[in-house]
Amino acid sequence: MHVEPPVGSPRSLEEAYGLLASAPHRPLAGGTDMLVQLTGELGPAPERVLDLWRLDELRGIRVEGGALEVGALTTHAQIRRSEACAAHAPTLVAAVATIGAAQIQNRGTIGGNVMNASPAGDTLPVLLALDAVLVAGGPRGERSIPAVGFWPAYRSTALAPDELLLRVRIPIVDGRRQAFRKVGTRRAQAISKVVLAAAWRRDPAWRDVRIAFGSVAATPIRATAAEAALEGAPPTAASIDRAVAALLAELRPIDDVRSTAAYRLEVSGRILRRLLEDAS
Ligand SMILES: Cc1cc2nc3c(=O)[nH]c(=O)nc-3n(C[C@H](O)[C@H](O)[C@H](O)COP(=O)(O)OP(=O)(O)OC[C@H]3O[C@@H](n4cnc5c(N)ncnc54)[C@H](O)[C@@H]3O)c2cc1C
C-alpha cells in the first residue's frame, strides 16, 4: 500500500534548514520529477518531504556582481520570459523552451532540473558550457560549487542530504557566444537523445571554447578533447574536422530505451559539426 509521507512546509530558509537538520527530508520544488517518484516504484520513496514552494527567497532572476543569478525555485516559464536571461544566457532560454511543454515549464524549476541530476536534464550541459556555479545552503552556511564536478556520478550531486540548492550563478563574459542543440523524438514532451550546449569567443581564432553534452554518458559531460582541438585554432574546415574527430574518439555513449550508442555518437558528431560551421 502506498502511504503519503509527512510534508513540512517552511516559510523561511532558516525554518527549512532546521527541518533538514532534525531528520532526513526530500525537497519538493515543482514536483514534476518528484511526483512520479513518490510511489517508490522508481527507487526509494521519501520518508519525509520538504515543500520548498513558499520559499520566495529562492525565486527570481537578477544581475549581480558580474553574474546572472537565477533562484532555484524559478520556473522554466519565468526563465523563458526573462530579458536578463535572453541577454546573458540565451542558451538557457533555448534549453528550458524544450523542456516538456507549457504545463511542465509553468511548474518545473531550474533547481529541480539541476538536483534531479538526470544525464538527460536539458539545462545541465548549458550550465557546464557557461561555467556556472551552483550555490548551496544548509545548517553549516552557504557554499559555491562549480558546475564541473557538481554531478559526480549517475543521478547524484555534490550536495549533502541536509543542503538545498539556493541559486545558479552564470558569469557574464564580454564577447561570449553560445549555442544549444537538442535531438529528441518530437519537438515537445521529448526527453533528449543527445543535447549539446557550447560557448566560445572568437578573436578571430576560437577562444575559451566550452562544449558540453547530455544524454551521452552517465552524467552530463564536457567534451574536453574537442574543446582542446579548437582552442586557439582558426575557424576553418580543418579545425572543425579535428574537433569532430576528437569528439568521436572521446565520447562513449550508452544504449538505452531512448536510443542506441551508435546513433548517439553519429548525431553528436553531426550536431557539433553544424554548430561550429554556423559559428564560423
Ligand atoms: C511530462 C514530463 C516531461 C518532461 N520533459 C523534460 C524535458 O524535456 N527535459 C528535462 O530536462 N526534463 C524534463 N522533465 C523533468 C522535469 O520536469 C524537470 O527536471 C524539472 O525541471 C524538475 O523541476 P521540479 O521543480 O518539478 O523538480 P521536483 O520534481 O520538485 O524535484 C526534482 C528533484 O530535485 C530535488 N530538488 C528540487 N529542488 C531542490 C532544491 N532547491 N534543493 C535541493 N534539492 C532540490 C528534489 O528533491 C528531487 O529529487 C519532464 C517531466 C515530465 C513529467
Side-chain angles (χ1 to χ4, degrees), residues 26-35 37 52 58 72 76 98-100 104 107-109 111-113 115-116 120-122 159 163-165 182 189-191:
R26 182 96 56 90
L28 174 77
T32 61
D33 276 313
M34 259 282 276
L35 285 190
Q37 298 161 6
L52 307 178
L58 299 187
H76 303 310
T98 72
I99 292 186
I104 296 293
R107 186 77 193 179
T109 64
N113 202 238
M115 291 305 298
N116 195 49
D122 286 312
L159 257 58
E163 286 182 308
L164 295 174
L165 182 69
K182 170 170 170 174
Q189 300 290 22
I191 303 294

